[in-house]
């Protein structure tokens, strides 16, 4: 089965196989230096712009703001969950996330 | 590449959706194929049906949009009956109970917790009294807003009610205009107070007059490309067109078709008319409209009445809203009633419907400040009407903090929201009323709270603008608000500037109290708050805010977004009773 991935309702959430899986407006924890200088950076996601799959990892293109320093920027490749045997397993926003490099490797 | 939404709209959109809704309703929520849900929920919006947020699956919001907010005799009562019967959720709201109507900032009514299975009956009973949900959401002509007291108002210059009705009849369920790149919000103003709030709409008709063939004609000036969403607020821009009432429908149709053909269908973020106006400029919009979309010579703009606009204007003289008792042109009165954050419980709503029928014509009108108006009250009935106890709460003379409060839907039902809104705003207004004195002569003070940057509560055009955010307090993430100051409409509208960011929500009432104290101390004579803000730069203003904890208690500081319903006893997403069958029994998940 192929995976249907899309953002909906103006970037309010990421839909995986027609079910709402990842919601905007949550605070994600990002490692140092990936978004701003804060360590770690607590970033409020304000909208999902796009979503893609990189191997088995679902990566979002989002816009967010750091809660400490106020930096507002886009996040190109935020891993939001994994697909295993056609099922989606979302990551917990509170666990530290790395940004996925375009070649699929984690730094 | 066109978006999924465009693809679904190409397959099936517009009036054909109705039969599909009826079919799914007949077979039950579970009959919507798993892999078609996103597509169907997107299409359902065209009929005013909006799937509620995560944790509330199988429940819908239903929006009913009467043009200019005019509810004919009997229509308000019918809405109350439907709310009573069909709009009840699995848990209570501590401020509002269970069963209510929301009056929206675009003069519509929203009902929540609607079951798909009940929708055909809802449609029938709405239609029976002449109401409709058509195009209340979705990518097309939304509810047309305008002067709610059109036809009765002493300030009226041109019959905006007639135009709003004609536009509604022409462009609702009109094949050529039913699939636009994005929502299309139209406003018609007929009065010299500017209560249609045209400046924040995609298309705005505003009263004007112009000499044509030696004769003074009243009609409309046209502006396009206003809107507040996405951190990209725009006021509608003047395209230098005057339309007679007869031409106005063709001009509207031309502009809607121009947007249909030239709006961005590749990127929904860039799809609104405001961005096309940014890209083209008002001159090119006018030239294209003239060359390709109307077959008569457009007139240049006439003389407008903007100088006297006072609605939601902050510093102008004149009425800032419709609240209070006002004489109509026919010698009867209209009574504008304050509805705090737009929500009316069904028991109160029945009493209001009774009073409207007993003492007046039974008409109820909805305003863009989330309030209601009872029209056609004869002089001799005024006192008796006002003595009804329900009008102690829904008051024609409310405290300024209650009168000025607007709040959007928020995390209670909206998937975009970052924070709880309506209950919080009720608690803010209550605390401010008890603890804060407004400076001398300040009778209007508008505080608008939106849960996110979509700006449904129109935060950027208030004295104090509040917008949902998060912050960390004592190591934990808490709900917070950005604070903006000094926005308002009027002749020269102004968006608030965001001067304080990420203020924990429990420190906001203290911040407003300190701000008002500082304003009273530093203000120049009788200077209005909006003028005061205009005189100062953001840094100076930020210093005046001073957030602090007070005895205000905020029960919604934790992440209300991560609940299935923020007020449920067990609010954990895992405890959600949704999705449920029509009788409310939860549907077990199959994985
Ligand atoms: C479940 C989600 C949503 C809910 C419950 C909601 C609710 C509302 C309500 C109650 C209103 C006023 C009434 C009306 O249109 O009749 C409104 C207006 C508005 N909505 Fe939403 N909305 C939602 C999603 C959105 C989205 C996705 C956007 C844009 C990205 C948006 C942008 C706006 C704006 C800008 C206004 C008002 C300001 C104006 O007149 O331009 N809303 N919404
Ligand atoms: S402003 Fe945001 S949170 Fe509030 S109703 Fe609109 S979309 Fe939802
Ligand atoms: Zn930072």
């Amino acid at each position: 089965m192929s995976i249907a991935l899309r953002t909906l309702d103006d970037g309010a959430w990421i839909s995986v196989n027609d079910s709402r899986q990842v919601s905007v407006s949550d605070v994600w924890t990002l490692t140092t230096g990936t978004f701003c200088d804060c360590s770690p950076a607590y970033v409020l996601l304000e909208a999902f712009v796009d979503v893609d799959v990189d191997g088995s990892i679902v990566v979002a293109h989002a816009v967010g703001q750091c809660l400490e320093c106020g930096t507002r920027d886009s996040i190109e490749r935020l891993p939001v969950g994994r697909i295993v045997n056609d099922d989606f397993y979302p990551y917990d926003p509170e666990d530290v996330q790395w940004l996925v490099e375009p070649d699929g490797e984690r730094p | 590449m066109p978006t999924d939404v465009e693809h679904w709209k190409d397959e099936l959109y517009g009036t054909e959706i109705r039969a599909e809704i009826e079919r799914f309703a007949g077979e039950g929520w579970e009959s919507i194929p798993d892999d078609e849900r996103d597509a169907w929920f997107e299409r359902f919006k065209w009929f005013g049906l909006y799937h509620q947020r995560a944790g509330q699956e199988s429940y819908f919001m239903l929006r009913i949009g009467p043009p200019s907010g005019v509810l004919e005799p009997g229509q308000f009562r019918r809405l109350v009956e439907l709310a009573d019967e069909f709009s009840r959720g699995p848990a209570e709201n501590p401020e509002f109970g269970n069963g209510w109507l929301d009056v929206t900032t675009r003069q519509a009514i929203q009902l929540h917790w609607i079951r798909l299975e009940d929708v055909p009956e809802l449609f029938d009973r709405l239609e029976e009294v002449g109401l409709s949900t058509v195009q209340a959401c979705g990518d097309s002509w939304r509810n047309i807003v305008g002067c709610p007291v059109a036809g009765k108002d002493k300030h009226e210059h041109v019959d905006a009610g007639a135009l709003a009705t004609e536009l509604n009849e022409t462009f609702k369920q009109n094949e050529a205009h039913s699939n636009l790149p994005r929502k299309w919000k139209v406003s018609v103003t007929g009065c010299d107070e500017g209560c249609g709030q045209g400046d924040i709409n995609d298309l705005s008709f505003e009263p004007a007059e112009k000499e044509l063939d030696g004769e003074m004609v009243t009609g409309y000036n046209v502006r396009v490309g206003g809107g507040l969403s996405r951190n990209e607020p725009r006021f509608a821009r003047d395209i230098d067109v005057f339309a007679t009432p007869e031409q106005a429908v063709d001009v509207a149709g031309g502009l809607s078709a121009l947007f249909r053909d030239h709006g961005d269908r590749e990127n929904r973020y860039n799809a609104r008319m405001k961005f096309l106006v940014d890209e083209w400029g008002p001159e090119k919009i006018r030239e294209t409209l003239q060359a390709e979309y109307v077959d008569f010579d457009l007139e240049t703009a006439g003389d407008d009445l903007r100088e006297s606009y006072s609605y939601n204007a902050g510093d102008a003289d004149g009425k800032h809203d419709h609240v209070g008792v006002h004489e109509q042109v026919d010698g009867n009165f209209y009574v504008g009633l304050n509805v705090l954050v737009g929500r009316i419980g069904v028991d109160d709503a029945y009493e209001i419907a009774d009073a409207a029928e007993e003492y007046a014509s039974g008409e109820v009108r909805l305003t863009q400040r989330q309030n209601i108006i009872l029209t056609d009250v004869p002089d001799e009935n005024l006192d008796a009407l006002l003595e009804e106890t329900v009008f102690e709460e829904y008051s024609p003379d409310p405290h300024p903090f209650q009168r000025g409060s607007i709040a959007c839907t928020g995390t209670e039902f909206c998937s975009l929201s970052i924070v709880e809104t309506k209950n919080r705003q009720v608690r803010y207004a209550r605390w401010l009323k008890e603890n804060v004195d407004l400076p001398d002569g300040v009778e209007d003070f508008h505080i608008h709270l939106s849960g996110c940057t979509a700006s449904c509560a129109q935060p950027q055009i208030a004295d104090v603008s509040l917008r949902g955010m998060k912050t960390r307090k004592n190591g934990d993430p808490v709900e917070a608000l950005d604070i903006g100051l000094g926005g308002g409409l009027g002749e020269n509208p102004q968006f608030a500037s965001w001067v304080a960011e990420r203020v924990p929500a429990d420190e906001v009432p203290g911040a407003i109290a300190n701000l008002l104290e500082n304003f009273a101390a530093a203000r120049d004579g009788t200077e209005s708050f909006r003028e005061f803000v205009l005189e100062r730069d953001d840094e100076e203003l930020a210093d005046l805010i001073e957030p602090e904890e007070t005895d205000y208690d905020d029960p919604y500081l934790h992440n209300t977004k991560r609940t299935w319903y923020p007020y449920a006893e067990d609010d954990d997403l895992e405890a959600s009773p949704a999705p449920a069958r029509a009788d409310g029994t939860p549907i077990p998940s199959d994985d």
Side-chain angles (χ1 to χ4, degrees), chain B residues 408-411 414-419 421 449-457:
Chain B
C408 76
T409 302
T411 46
C414 175
S415 40
L416 278 108
S417 195
I418 303 168
V419 299
T421 51
L449 168 57
S450 254
C452 79
T453 59
S455 304
C456 302

Side-chain angles (χ1 to χ4, degrees), chain A residues 4-29 42 44-50 61 65-72 87 91-94, chain B residues 4-5 8 33-39 41-42 45 50-58 182-183 230-231 268-269 415-418 452-453 467-472 477 482 501-502 559 561-562 591:
Chain A
L5 270 180
R6 57 179 72 98
T7 64
L8 274 179
D9 283 359
D10 300 292
W13 33 278
I14 290 173
S15 161
V16 184
N17 290 335
D18 286 64
S19 126
R20 293 182 276 202
Q21 291 289 355
V22 188
S23 173
V24 80
S25 311
D26 258 328
V27 179
W28 290 70
T29 314
Y42 299 104
L44 176 77
L45 295 194
E46 295 183 308
F48 291 117
V49 184
D50 210 347
H61 176 190
Q65 187 177 25
C66 171
L67 298 185
E68 302 294 337
C69 70
T71 299
R72 179 176 263 132
D87 283 329
Y91 293 143
D92 185 341
E94 283 164 29
Chain B
D4 282 341
V5 175
W8 299 327
D34 284 350
D35 59 351
E36 296 177 15
R37 287 197 179 153
D38 288 351
F41 296 153
E42 191 61 43
K45 293 178 190 172
Y50 205 122
H51 194 210
Q52 287 182 187
R53 69 171 174 86
Q56 303 169 356
E57 286 79 7
S58 80
R182 206 65 173 68
K183 58 177 89 162
R230 292 264 156 229
N231 273 330
R268 291 184 66 77
Y269 295 101
S415 40
L416 278 108
S417 195
I418 303 168
C452 79
T453 59
R467 179 175 69 188
M469 251 293 146
K470 289 238 166 78
T471 192
R472 292 174 68 81
D482 287 344
E501 297 196 308
R502 304 185 298 281
N559 195 346
K561 180 154 192 93
R562 291 235 135 195
D591 49 42

Side-chain angles (χ1 to χ4, degrees), chain B residues 529-572:
Chain B
F529 185 74
R530 188 170 159 191
E531 288 162 342
F532 176 85
V533 171
L534 209 58
E535 289 289 308
R536 286 166 174 75
D537 65 29
D538 286 2
E539 246 168 82
E540 251 178 292
L541 292 168
D543 288 342
L544 301 179
I545 288 185
E546 303 179 276
E548 71 172 325
E549 284 180 15
T550 56
D551 63 353
Y552 166 81
D553 174 46
D554 197 307
Y556 311 116
L557 266 191
H558 71 299
N559 195 346
T560 57
K561 180 154 192 93
R562 291 235 135 195
T563 65
W564 73 269
Y565 192 57
Y567 329 102
E569 191 129 5
D570 183 358
D571 65 5
D572 197 271

Side-chain angles (χ1 to χ4, degrees), chain B residues 78-97:
Chain B
R78 176 56 54 94
L79 290 167
V80 181
E81 290 164 357
L82 297 179
D84 188 8
E85 266 180 73
F86 298 103
S87 179
R88 294 197 182 260
E92 287 221 344
N93 178 308
E95 296 289 343
F96 302 100

Side-chain angles (χ1 to χ4, degrees), chain A residues 40-102:
Chain A
Y42 299 104
V43 178
L44 176 77
L45 295 194
E46 295 183 308
F48 291 117
V49 184
D50 210 347
V51 57
D52 208 348
V53 60
D54 192 321
S56 64
I57 314 257
V58 175
V59 289
H61 176 190
V63 178
Q65 187 177 25
C66 171
L67 298 185
E68 302 294 337
C69 70
T71 299
R72 179 176 263 132
D73 205 349
S74 69
I75 306 167
E76 295 301 328
R77 304 177 73 75
L78 175 72
V80 294
R82 275 185 323 140
I83 290 173
V84 181
N85 299 332
D86 287 346
D87 283 329
F88 178 76
Y89 296 89
Y91 293 143
D92 185 341
E94 283 164 29
D95 294 346
V96 177
Q97 301 294 322
W98 296 265
L99 302 190
V100 177
E101 293 298 307

Side-chain angles (χ1 to χ4, degrees), chain A residues 10, chain B residues 50 63 104-106 108 110 183 185 200 414 416 454 456:
Chain A
D10 300 292
Chain B
Y50 205 122
R63 188 181 287 164
T104 80
T105 51
R106 299 199 78 252
Q110 284 186 185
K183 58 177 89 162
K185 293 179 172 176
I200 55 167
C414 175
L416 278 108
C456 302

